[in-house]
Amino acid sequence: MSVHPETTKKLMISDLLRMKEEKTKLTMITAYSYPQALVVDEAGIDIILVGDSLGMVELGYKDTVPVTMDEMLHHTRAVVRAVKRAHVVGDLPFMSYNISMEQAVTNAGILYKDGGADSVKLEGGQDMAPVVRAIHKAGIPVFGHIGLTPQTAALLGGFKVQGKSLDDAKKVIDDALALEDAGAFALILEAIPKQLSKLITEKVKIPTVGIGGGVHCDGQVLVFHDLLGLFKRFTPKFVKVYADMYSLQIKAVKEFIDDVQKNRFPGDEHSFTMKEEDLRGLE
Ligand code: KIV
């Protein structure tokens, strides 16, 4: 049985796994606020990621490194309040799971229990497998993220495509297998060659969701602001921009400024009136 967006029944991890088996493509998008989550859930998206990209597209940081647990919790809660159907993933920010196993499980618990996320995501492959195992053992579903891992991009030589050479490709495959073995229920494959994504997608039983991973992944994810043309600082090659909401918003605000300056707003339809006789009493 496939999962149709028309139903508002909450998607379970078993639904996402079944979609891979049935070869139904998974759709995933980021959202960071109540109104954004209302829109993407109503549109029928399967998975909403409250990503740490929050730092760049909503909070104005240079990259995702400064994002804090408090910020992630605040935004995860707002998204969760809006969502009826989609599976909501809370992203663990840099240094919230890298210090100790105890710290990782505690922070995963905060996004899951206090934030209301349906699962948590963290970046890293084989090195992070023990952490994924510990969070999974604590009863919290984990979404893995391999290939280009923006939180540790400095160690990868910047925001570069990963897994292009034979040795690097083998490492990304081993990362995927290690995370699956540790209990991850799905994997983001970021910025890797499409042939490598195909191999990984065939090798693992869990769904793969690509961002710059090519068409063979089980699903695709984009950042809300990229898809809607809301973020102008830069647009990676893997982004398809579906609307120019930035320009639309500028146009609307400019029209408002013009209307106010030329006394076209507010019109009678936006104003309140009192009875003439009461008005005369004031004179
Ligand atoms: O934080 C984020 O938005 C992400 C996506 C790019 C997958 O991790």
Side-chain angles (χ1 to χ4, degrees), residues 131-156:
V131 176
V132 170
R133 197 178 297 281
I135 298 173
H136 174 71
K137 265 186 112 177
I140 302 170
V142 186
F143 210 121
H145 183 157
I146 55 174
L148 173 59
T149 45
Q151 290 173 8
T152 46
L155 298 177
L156 304 173

Side-chain angles (χ1 to χ4, degrees), residues 32-264:
Y32 317 92
S33 70
Y34 181 82
Q36 290 166 1
L38 278 181
V39 166
V40 299
D41 197 42
E42 186 176 330
I45 210 84
D46 300 316
I47 307 168
I48 298 175
L49 169 65
V50 190
D52 65 351
S53 47
L54 162 80
M56 295 168 78
V57 298
E58 288 278 312
L59 304 180
Y61 298 145
K62 178 170 74 53
D63 52 34
T64 57
V65 168
V67 177
T68 65
M69 269 301 292
D70 282 350
E71 287 162 347
M72 290 310 303
L73 180 61
H74 178 80
H75 289 267
T76 301
R77 281 180 165 156
V79 166
V80 166
R81 272 180 225 124
V83 174
K84 292 198 174 76
R85 175 180 174 273
H87 175 96
V88 178
V89 186
D91 213 0
L92 284 165
F94 184 54
M95 279 298 146
S96 70
Y97 58 96
N98 320 65
I99 295 168
S100 70
M101 216 68 96
E102 195 182 324
Q103 183 222 20
V105 177
T106 302
N107 282 326
I110 289 173
L111 288 189
Y112 187 67
K113 191 174 165 182
D114 305 342
D118 301 309
S119 64
V120 299
K121 179 172 86 59
L122 58 83
E123 296 182 8
Q126 295 154 80
D127 291 351
M128 280 299 153
V131 176
V132 170
R133 197 178 297 281
I135 298 173
H136 174 71
K137 265 186 112 177
I140 302 170
V142 186
F143 210 121
H145 183 157
I146 55 174
L148 173 59
T149 45
Q151 290 173 8
T152 46
L155 298 177
L156 304 173
F159 289 82
K160 287 189 180 152
V161 179
Q162 301 296 304
K164 280 180 96 170
S165 70
L166 178 61
D167 282 352
D168 289 352
K170 279 185 181 157
K171 184 191 171 296
V172 183
I173 293 175
D174 289 345
D175 286 342
L177 295 174
L179 292 186
E180 178 176 43
D181 183 63
F185 74 92
L187 294 175
I188 299 278
L189 305 182
E190 178 161 355
I192 62 172
K194 60 180 187 178
Q195 301 97 321
L196 181 56
S197 297
K198 183 170 187 289
L199 269 175
I200 293 172
T201 302
E202 287 163 2
K203 274 182 192 287
V204 296
K205 290 197 178 62
I206 55 178
T208 60
V209 180
I211 177 157
V215 73
H216 303 297
C217 298
D218 296 307
Q220 297 294 328
V221 55
L222 281 179
V223 167
F224 182 89
H225 295 59
D226 288 341
L227 182 151
L228 293 175
L230 279 165
F231 187 67
K232 296 278 173 175
R233 233 160 72 199
F234 60 87
T235 308
K237 172 184 162 70
F238 53 69
V239 168
K240 179 168 175 186
V241 183
Y242 287 85
D244 186 0
M245 296 299 288
Y246 192 91
S247 303
L248 259 180
Q249 291 179 87
I250 299 247
K251 184 171 171 285
V253 175
K254 277 189 164 175
E255 274 176 33
F256 168 69
I257 294 170
D258 203 42
D259 277 357
V260 170
Q261 287 174 341
K262 296 190 172 131
N263 282 326
R264 283 193 302 251

